[in-house]
Amino acid sequence: MEPRIVLFEDHLLDDMAPVTLTRPAFVVTCACYTLYEIMTQSPLPAAVHWIVRDFLAKTTAQRCPQVPIEPGSMLFFLNASVIPDVRYADRVRQLWEKGAPFVATTGRRVSAALVPAGSTMPERLTAENVTPWLLEMKLPLMEEELFRTFDHQYEVIKYLEPLFAGNMAHRIRTGGYREVAPGVFAQENVTLADSAVFRTKDGPVILERDVEVADFAYVVGPVHVGARTRIIERASLKENVCIGETCKIGGEVEASIIESFTNKQHHGFLGHSWVGSWVNLGAGTSNSDLKNTYGEVRLEYPHRRVETGMQFLGCVIGDFAKSAINTSIFTGKIIGVSSMLYGFIGSNVPSFCNYARSFGQITECPVDQAVLIQKRMFARRSILQTPEDVLLLRDVFELTRSERLISDEPPAL
Amino acid sequence: MCGIFGYAGPEARPEVLIEGIKRLEYRGYDSWGLCLASENHLSLLRRVGRIGGVDGSALAFGRDGSARSGIAHTRWATHGAPTEANAHPHVDCAGRIALIHNGIIENHAALRATLESKGHRFTSDTDTEVIPHLIEEILKSESDFPSAFLAAVKLLVGAYGIAAVWAGTPDTVYVARHGSPIVLGVGRTSTLVASDPAPLVAHTRDVIYLDDGEAAILRPDGFETRTLEGAPVSKQVHQVAFSLPDIERGGYPHFMLKEIAEQPESIRNAMRGRIVRSEGTAKLGGVGEELLRKVRRCHIVACGTSWNAGMVGKYLLENLARIPTQVTYAAEFRYAHPVLEPDTLVIAISQSGETADTLAGVREARLIGAETIGICNVVGSTIARECGKGIYIHAGPEIGVASTKAFTSQLVVLSLLAVHMGRMRGMSLRAGILFLDALERLPEQAAQILREKDKVAAIARAYAPCRDFLFVGRLYEYPTALEGALKLKEISYVHAEGIQAAEMKHGPIALIETSVPTVVLAAQTEIRDKMLGNMHEILARSGKVIAVGQEGDEELARLANDTIFIPKTLDPLIPILSVIPLQLLAYYVAVERGCDVDKPRNLAKSVTVE
């Protein structure tokens, strides 16, 4: 019997903002996979049900098919924040086939549990009540941490390199690619300019269908490029780069993740960063990923700082954010959803902000304006803006209202 | 330290008053006395010794039925030897004002000199006697007794809980408080006052906790509460949670043994409703989340057994929550000009919540600006109220002078606090759950130890003739060693020392000889082998070893002369189990030596003086 997996979000996602403000944790891309993909594809594939925060349910339903839960049946609960490591597919299958009930924790959260058949379940499982329910069943507690999880948004970047080789090898093995050049694996209808250069000594390059690589592009593997994405002229993609579908990528990109429908068309450096969907980085936008002191990068959170343990760490940019020309983002900054950036970005930026701090201007970006921009961007990609898309933006606007209190701070550089 | 009891109502009889102070006898018991107030007449009775020895003549005293109120007192001497003259109540020159007092009047010498110069004649050595004379003096110029009473009380410097009767208003008891506990009881036909709720529950469960600087006037049909300035004060009526049988011995020969045996239940009560397994943490409603989150250091202030609990708390907070923690004797803290860094949390531990030194420590800490929380047993006690925030240990009344169940309950609460603060600071969910699960197993494990009490009794009988004992332990078992030694000293008058085991070789090992047994605490897995090394050192010098180890440790049992096993648990929780055999050991040694277990000499339960 195929495993029945419940991917569940929990109540510990605050430190993952803005990455999980607009998407469930199980569709965060890292090292060319999302957890949802791993659980629904070979070698599992499992029948997946998901539990997400209420405001994400409708948009998640649009992109992640699921099967209903059969109450009283044996179920494998897997935390949506578990990192997308292809090796976990085998681990899940083994635990499922063993059939021994357990609950496993990782750090502060429940990472997985095998709930035996006949267990009584709450009438409605939610992101809030699923973890307490799993723990109160007093299933045997696993001694070791079976699954690692993303606990902070910067860890999406941290896990990129350790996961990349294994995940890429798995994708090549199972994806039906053609090796169009040494170490370059392509799906159908891929266009490669003759002058494009691929260096694959330290890792392969995977190009999904309809990818176009323009003249003088320089690609150093491992790199994964999603379907319909264009790598424009003179672009430089260097090691551990993971790009989603329908993007336009130019300039210099290193060790970064770019989610689908994002444009970084012009010159400028993006390094050790995660960039959400529907982001547009203006010409000359660059980020720093190394402190002048060469020291460890620390991230600012409300009321505390977190040591990342990383010497190279760029920025995290939420969905729908835009940067003006020559925007400069300092090391280790977090940019919220639907914010507009101008000039020097020396501090974290809340969601829905017009952020021109170096010019003395920080104002709230009205949600109606964000909705209008979304509609225009979707239209350019022939995507119909749905009421659910609009509602999500409005919900996130409300959820992040308190972040914008920092707009009262005096501008400083 | 004393117990006071007062009654205004239709049953103002000696047996009612005597029954009242019997329930306070643990607060002091070197002498006692009572006074019945009738129309223009006070009847006074005072005795040296225990209330248990009340004779027929005392019960026959004042039985003409004319009394309308009465006060009674059980004393623990602070000023003046335990004599009949020094026993309370004390009266004025005219014998129309009788007064009982708990506390110390610091300016009594100056007041006495002034009053003597005005012709007042004193008959005792006590500080208390100045008060009725002072009221008498003020009454010469004040028209009404309540005003004179308040005026006199305002002249007192020190700590006091006072109850007085006046022959002019025989149905009224006058009460004032500053620094010593006072609880009022509100019955249907009577109003009462006592040092704590224990003697009130036979009459009523509705009680009022008087605060410092407050006074009350009690009549059979009601009461008034005022500030010492005379302004009316509105007070909240609380319901006493425990019943009379709770404070009876329940068939045990001594309160101490009863309270040792109650520990499975009291441990359970200390954690009841506070474990949130679904989050791997504890819920401590009396302490603000924001406060605990911002704390960077802890400073535990306590005395005696509570200090030993605080030492365990230090290890818990440092190991589980990684918060630097210091433990200081409250009396030292008060006068040592303590340095408290910003975001330091001062944790005051006191079973009674009235411990004078600890209370002074709390006040000192608050003066410096530190946040304070109390860990107390008595709800509404002064420390609990002055701290404002805190965690009650819910151990129930502890009557035996030697603290037993309060200690283990304090450790449970400290464990909950540590795991809660640990989870706020990166302790993993799994570690939290494992800790809480182990905590939840403790009541049954404590019961398992208690089922072996006859074995401990046999060991105690064998070693009872010894005049000196050593208790050695490391880490969590070091404070347990201190507590084991303290218990033995308290109730059996045997010299005992608690020693950090590694320190043996720096001096104490010179004490080892056949007649000096050593209790070796070796239940912790982390340092068990080190403790075995200590045992070898003791045995090699012909010392006798009583070992306390985890069940199944056969090597330990082979080495030791006698072994007491405790069930397996996590190292940080071992003191909660390993102290129980030490309590039993002390108890049975004391019984074997013929000591009065519940009322050890020179000691009293609630130390409300410095």
Short mmCIF file of all heavy atoms in Angstrom, two decimals, chain A residues 105 107-110 131-132 135-136 138-139 141-143, chain B residues 277-280 423 426-430 433-434 437 440:
data_model
loop_
_atom_site.label_atom_id
_atom_site.label_comp_id
_atom_site.label_asym_id
_atom_site.label_seq_id
_atom_site.Cartn_x
_atom_site.Cartn_y
_atom_site.Cartn_z
N THR A 105 11.02 14.30 17.11
CA THR A 105 11.14 15.76 17.24
C THR A 105 12.46 16.22 16.66
O THR A 105 13.43 15.46 16.57
CB THR A 105 11.08 16.19 18.71
OG1 THR A 105 12.19 15.61 19.40
CG2 THR A 105 9.78 15.75 19.38
N GLY A 107 14.67 19.75 17.32
CA GLY A 107 14.72 21.06 17.98
C GLY A 107 13.44 21.34 18.72
O GLY A 107 13.04 20.60 19.61
N ARG A 108 12.77 22.41 18.34
CA ARG A 108 11.57 22.84 19.06
C ARG A 108 10.29 22.20 18.54
O ARG A 108 9.22 22.47 19.05
CB ARG A 108 11.42 24.37 18.93
CG ARG A 108 12.54 25.17 19.55
CD ARG A 108 12.21 26.64 19.54
NE ARG A 108 11.96 27.14 18.18
CZ ARG A 108 11.23 28.21 17.90
NH1 ARG A 108 10.63 28.87 18.87
NH2 ARG A 108 11.08 28.61 16.66
N ARG A 109 10.38 21.39 17.46
CA ARG A 109 9.13 20.98 16.82
C ARG A 109 9.03 19.47 16.63
O ARG A 109 10.02 18.75 16.65
CB ARG A 109 8.95 21.70 15.49
CG ARG A 109 10.01 21.38 14.51
CD ARG A 109 10.22 22.41 13.40
NE ARG A 109 9.10 23.28 13.10
CZ ARG A 109 9.22 24.45 12.48
NH1 ARG A 109 10.42 24.87 12.11
NH2 ARG A 109 8.18 25.20 12.23
N VAL A 110 7.81 19.02 16.43
CA VAL A 110 7.57 17.64 16.04
C VAL A 110 7.87 17.56 14.54
O VAL A 110 7.29 18.30 13.74
CB VAL A 110 6.11 17.23 16.31
CG1 VAL A 110 5.79 15.90 15.66
CG2 VAL A 110 5.87 17.16 17.80
N THR A 131 0.18 19.54 16.23
CA THR A 131 1.33 19.16 17.07
C THR A 131 0.90 18.76 18.49
O THR A 131 1.32 17.70 18.98
CB THR A 131 2.37 20.29 17.10
OG1 THR A 131 2.93 20.42 15.80
CG2 THR A 131 3.49 20.00 18.07
N PRO A 132 0.06 19.58 19.16
CA PRO A 132 -0.41 19.14 20.48
C PRO A 132 -1.09 17.77 20.43
O PRO A 132 -0.88 16.93 21.31
CB PRO A 132 -1.40 20.23 20.89
CG PRO A 132 -0.96 21.43 20.14
CD PRO A 132 -0.40 20.93 18.85
N LEU A 135 1.48 14.98 20.17
CA LEU A 135 2.24 14.77 21.41
C LEU A 135 1.38 14.18 22.52
O LEU A 135 1.85 13.37 23.31
CB LEU A 135 2.86 16.08 21.87
CG LEU A 135 4.05 16.55 21.04
CD1 LEU A 135 4.47 17.94 21.43
CD2 LEU A 135 5.23 15.59 21.21
N GLU A 136 0.13 14.58 22.54
CA GLU A 136 -0.72 14.08 23.62
C GLU A 136 -1.10 12.62 23.44
O GLU A 136 -1.55 11.96 24.38
CB GLU A 136 -1.95 14.97 23.76
CG GLU A 136 -1.64 16.19 24.64
CD GLU A 136 -2.57 17.36 24.38
OE1 GLU A 136 -3.60 17.17 23.71
OE2 GLU A 136 -2.24 18.46 24.86
N LYS A 138 1.01 10.44 23.17
CA LYS A 138 2.11 9.75 23.87
C LYS A 138 2.61 8.53 23.08
O LYS A 138 2.80 7.44 23.63
CB LYS A 138 1.69 9.35 25.29
CG LYS A 138 1.40 10.55 26.18
CD LYS A 138 1.48 10.23 27.65
CE LYS A 138 1.36 11.50 28.48
NZ LYS A 138 1.45 11.29 29.91
N LEU A 139 2.81 8.75 21.80
CA LEU A 139 3.46 7.72 20.98
C LEU A 139 4.91 7.60 21.42
O LEU A 139 5.47 8.55 21.97
CB LEU A 139 3.39 8.12 19.50
CG LEU A 139 1.99 8.35 18.92
CD1 LEU A 139 2.07 8.98 17.54
CD2 LEU A 139 1.23 7.03 18.85
N LEU A 141 8.62 8.06 21.79
CA LEU A 141 9.42 9.20 21.34
C LEU A 141 10.74 8.69 20.75
O LEU A 141 11.49 7.98 21.41
CB LEU A 141 9.70 10.10 22.55
CG LEU A 141 10.30 11.46 22.32
CD1 LEU A 141 9.44 12.32 21.41
CD2 LEU A 141 10.51 12.16 23.66
N MET A 142 10.98 9.02 19.49
CA MET A 142 12.21 8.59 18.82
C MET A 142 13.42 9.22 19.50
O MET A 142 13.40 10.41 19.83
CB MET A 142 12.20 9.02 17.35
CG MET A 142 11.37 8.11 16.48
SD MET A 142 12.31 6.61 16.15
CE MET A 142 11.22 5.79 14.99
N GLU A 143 14.48 8.44 19.66
CA GLU A 143 15.66 8.98 20.33
C GLU A 143 16.42 9.94 19.43
O GLU A 143 16.90 10.96 19.88
CB GLU A 143 16.57 7.84 20.77
CG GLU A 143 16.04 7.14 22.00
CD GLU A 143 17.10 6.36 22.71
OE1 GLU A 143 18.28 6.51 22.39
OE2 GLU A 143 16.73 5.56 23.60
N ARG B 277 2.50 18.94 28.02
CA ARG B 277 3.31 18.00 27.25
C ARG B 277 3.30 18.35 25.77
O ARG B 277 4.30 18.16 25.07
CB ARG B 277 2.79 16.57 27.45
CG ARG B 277 3.74 15.51 26.93
CD ARG B 277 3.21 14.12 27.16
NE ARG B 277 4.25 13.12 26.93
CZ ARG B 277 4.57 12.64 25.75
NH1 ARG B 277 3.95 13.08 24.68
NH2 ARG B 277 5.53 11.74 25.62
N SER B 278 2.17 18.86 25.32
CA SER B 278 2.05 19.16 23.89
C SER B 278 3.02 20.23 23.44
O SER B 278 3.26 20.41 22.26
CB SER B 278 0.63 19.60 23.56
OG SER B 278 0.30 20.74 24.31
N GLU B 279 3.60 20.96 24.39
CA GLU B 279 4.61 21.95 24.02
C GLU B 279 5.94 21.66 24.71
O GLU B 279 6.89 22.43 24.59
CB GLU B 279 4.13 23.36 24.36
CG GLU B 279 2.93 23.78 23.51
CD GLU B 279 2.34 25.11 23.98
OE1 GLU B 279 3.07 25.91 24.56
OE2 GLU B 279 1.13 25.29 23.77
N GLY B 280 5.98 20.55 25.43
CA GLY B 280 7.22 20.17 26.11
C GLY B 280 7.66 21.19 27.13
O GLY B 280 8.85 21.39 27.36
N ARG B 423 13.03 25.89 27.75
CA ARG B 423 12.34 25.81 26.45
C ARG B 423 12.29 27.17 25.78
O ARG B 423 12.25 27.27 24.57
CB ARG B 423 10.94 25.25 26.65
CG ARG B 423 10.91 23.79 27.02
CD ARG B 423 11.17 22.86 25.81
NE ARG B 423 10.06 22.91 24.90
CZ ARG B 423 10.14 23.18 23.61
NH1 ARG B 423 11.31 23.42 23.07
NH2 ARG B 423 9.07 23.21 22.85
N GLY B 426 16.05 27.58 23.88
CA GLY B 426 16.68 26.64 22.96
C GLY B 426 16.68 25.20 23.41
O GLY B 426 17.20 24.34 22.69
N MET B 427 16.14 24.89 24.59
CA MET B 427 16.03 23.49 24.98
C MET B 427 15.09 22.81 23.98
O MET B 427 14.05 23.35 23.64
CB MET B 427 15.43 23.40 26.39
CG MET B 427 15.32 22.02 26.95
SD MET B 427 14.45 22.10 28.54
CE MET B 427 14.77 20.47 29.16
N SER B 428 15.49 21.63 23.53
CA SER B 428 14.70 21.00 22.47
C SER B 428 13.37 20.49 23.00
O SER B 428 13.21 20.23 24.19
CB SER B 428 15.48 19.84 21.85
OG SER B 428 15.49 18.74 22.72
N LEU B 429 12.44 20.35 22.09
CA LEU B 429 11.13 19.81 22.44
C LEU B 429 11.28 18.43 23.06
O LEU B 429 10.64 18.10 24.06
CB LEU B 429 10.25 19.75 21.19
CG LEU B 429 8.87 19.14 21.33
CD1 LEU B 429 8.00 19.94 22.29
CD2 LEU B 429 8.18 19.04 19.97
N ARG B 430 12.13 17.63 22.45
CA ARG B 430 12.31 16.26 22.93
C ARG B 430 12.85 16.25 24.37
O ARG B 430 12.37 15.51 25.22
CB ARG B 430 13.26 15.51 22.00
CG ARG B 430 13.48 14.09 22.41
CD ARG B 430 14.27 13.32 21.37
NE ARG B 430 14.37 11.95 21.81
CZ ARG B 430 15.25 11.51 22.67
NH1 ARG B 430 16.13 12.35 23.18
NH2 ARG B 430 15.26 10.24 23.04
N ILE B 433 10.08 17.16 26.68
CA ILE B 433 9.10 16.08 26.88
C ILE B 433 9.69 15.00 27.79
O ILE B 433 9.02 14.51 28.70
CB ILE B 433 8.67 15.50 25.52
CG1 ILE B 433 7.81 16.51 24.77
CG2 ILE B 433 7.90 14.20 25.71
CD1 ILE B 433 7.52 16.12 23.35
N LEU B 434 10.92 14.62 27.53
CA LEU B 434 11.55 13.57 28.35
C LEU B 434 11.61 14.00 29.81
O LEU B 434 11.36 13.22 30.72
CB LEU B 434 12.96 13.26 27.83
CG LEU B 434 13.03 12.52 26.51
CD1 LEU B 434 14.48 12.38 26.05
CD2 LEU B 434 12.38 11.14 26.61
N ASP B 437 8.03 13.95 31.25
CA ASP B 437 7.58 12.57 31.45
C ASP B 437 8.22 11.98 32.71
O ASP B 437 7.58 11.27 33.49
CB ASP B 437 7.90 11.71 30.23
CG ASP B 437 6.98 12.01 29.05
OD1 ASP B 437 6.01 12.78 29.25
OD2 ASP B 437 7.23 11.50 27.95
N GLU B 440 6.58 13.39 35.73
CA GLU B 440 5.26 12.80 35.99
C GLU B 440 5.36 11.41 36.63
O GLU B 440 4.40 10.94 37.25
CB GLU B 440 4.45 12.72 34.70
CG GLU B 440 3.88 14.08 34.30
CD GLU B 440 2.88 13.98 33.18
OE1 GLU B 440 3.20 13.35 32.13
OE2 GLU B 440 1.78 14.52 33.33
#
